[in-house]
Amino acid sequence: MKYIPISSKQIAYVSYDDQSSQMHIQYHTGHSHICDNIDQEQVQQLIQSDNPYDLVMRLTQLQRVPNIQTT
């Protein structure tokens, strides 16, 4: 498991489990959130990002958006 510190008032750190492709977000409040289907490329973007907080928020928003199929 990789641990990625996030400089944020809300998020303490993010951990990534490459076996399950899950990102675990640990908040300073003690709450946590799990994002599924996160790939290595997204984790690399997070590590290299100048603003990792915004990227984490985008990834969590993608998890909450329902799949909408158009025809």
Side-chain angles (χ1 to χ4, degrees), residues 32-48:
S32 62
H33 180 79
I34 297 174
C35 295
D36 294 308
N37 301 317
I38 303 297
D39 61 36
Q40 291 282 347
E41 184 178 319
Q42 291 169 310
V43 173
Q44 281 305 112
Q45 289 174 351
L46 181 61
I47 292 170
Q48 297 171 350

